[in-house]
């Protein structure tokens, strides 16, 4: 019977140190956040696990715009976009985002989705018709994997960031619609897809590139316009997805692509059509967050993030050498410290927590077996002192382990 079966599955999961638990936040997303485990009192922990890379989730101007948006448009949208839920705030947001991506995608339009997960499901299912072929990086985010499952297209996976592996698959394909699908910055490793080389392959084999810039939008590029700005790329072959709950600090996502593609999504992407539009206040708040991203403050925040990344990597490289850990090959705000064993990753995370620091232990199936890790993420709202505290706590954990 179902409940007996689930009890057994839960016991097996626990035996492999794979049980997942939530903590409950009692205060806003910020480096110092009060959380509880559901039993004890809430206490403040210095966190290195949010994706709020620029500290905008708790920014006064964004919060004020959210409140103003709610006063103007109400709390909810009331319907899906194609019925009556599409507001002026959504419209302005899409127009603004289309302007950002226009230098990189000729005739770009943008389409706002409630979440990045839904944007990926929508794009892959709408474009991945039965005669299409999807070429997916092996380490793509779960939402791209699920989108590929929803699509009727044939799915091929190439070795992580391996253009030779991809080229072989493209050369062997006679599909009339080839779609390369990749994260820009990989979410659990922090490394970057070789987009320039991918574009060269796309041109050679007449393919399109669906690029998920969840961890690049707002952070990468001089103006924060994302990975295409950072790499100086422009092509109508790009179908760009940026998420707005990470560096942009609010919620949702958008697809930017040639206007014919966006028109097709509006008409056929089921995760767009059959869901209530996000509250217009969310879009109104996002307009404030975009204004910060492209202004002087955005530049300063990105510079602070860059300083923290350099300092952390420096310290982690030294520690990893002593402790026998592997430091990921990442120059982004995502810095994985690969410990290997699930139990060891959990134990290290627990040691840090006892020290008042919160870093998530990421285990399979989110990452491959044997590569359990601490996924350390940085934000522009971290100070150099915060980073030093983390490095000191990790040093103490290593010393404690050596002594035991
Ligand atoms: C977080 C994430 C998503 C999902 O975006 P949400 O807006 O949180 O649903 C998609 N792709 C990648 C690579 C992500 O890291």
């Amino acid at each position: 019977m179902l409940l007996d079966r689930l009890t057994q599955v839960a016991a097996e999961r626990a035996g492999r140190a794979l049980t997942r638990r939530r903590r409950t936040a009692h205060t806003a997303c910020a480096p110092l956040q009060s959380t509880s485990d559901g039993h004890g009192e809430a206490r403040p922990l210095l966190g290195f696990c949010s994706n709020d890379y620029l500290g905008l989730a708790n920014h006064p101007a964004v919060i004020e715009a959210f409140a103003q948006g709610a006063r103007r448009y109400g709390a909810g949208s009331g319907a899906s976009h194609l019925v009556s839920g599409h507001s002026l705030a959504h419209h302005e947001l899409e127009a603004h985002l289309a302007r950002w991506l226009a230098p990189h995608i000729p005739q770009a339009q943008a389409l706002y989705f409630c979440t990045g997960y839904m944007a990926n499901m929508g794009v892959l299912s709408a474009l991945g018709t039965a005669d299409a072929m999807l070429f997916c990086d092996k380490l793509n985010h779960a939402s791209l994997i699920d989108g590929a499952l929803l699509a009727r297209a044939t799915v091929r996976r190439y070795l992580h960031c391996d253009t030779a592996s991809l080229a072989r698959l493209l050369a062997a394909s006679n599909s009339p619609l080839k779609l390369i699908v990749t994260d820009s910055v990989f979410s659990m490793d922090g490394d970057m897809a070789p987009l320039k080389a991918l574009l060269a392959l796309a041109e050679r084999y007449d393919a399109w590139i669906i690029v998920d810039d969840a961890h690049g939008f707002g952070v990468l590029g001089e103006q924060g316009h994302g990975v295409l700005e950072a790499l100086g790329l422009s092509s109508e072959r790009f179908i760009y997805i940026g998420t707005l709950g990470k560096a942009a600090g609010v919620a949702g996502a958008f697809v930017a692509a040639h206007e014919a593609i966006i028109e097709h999504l509006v008409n056929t992407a089921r995760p767009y059509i059959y869901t209530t539009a996000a509250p217009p206040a969310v879009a109104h708040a996002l307009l404030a967050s975009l204004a910060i991203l492209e202004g002087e403050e955005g530049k300063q925040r990105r510079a602070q993030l860059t300083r923290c990344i350099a300092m952390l990597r420096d310290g982690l490289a030294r520690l990893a050498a002593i402790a026998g850990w592997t430091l990921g090959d990442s120059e982004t705000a995502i810095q994985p410290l690969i410990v290997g064993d699930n139990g060891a990753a959990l134990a290290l995370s627990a040691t840090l927590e006892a020290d008042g620091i919160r870093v998530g232990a990421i285990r399979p199936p989110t990452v491959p077996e044997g590569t359990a890790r601490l996924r350390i993420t940085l934000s522009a709202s971290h100070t150099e002192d915060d980073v030093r505290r983390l490095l000191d706590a990790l040093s103490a954990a290593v010393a404690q382990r050596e002594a035991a």
Side-chain angles (χ1 to χ4, degrees), residues 115-118 120 141 143 183 185 187 212 214-215 243 245-246 252-253:
T115 72
Y117 188 95
M118 292 168 74
N120 286 344
H141 187 262
S143 57
D183 286 20
V185 176
S187 51
D212 176 349
H215 302 282
T243 68
K246 288 171 178 156

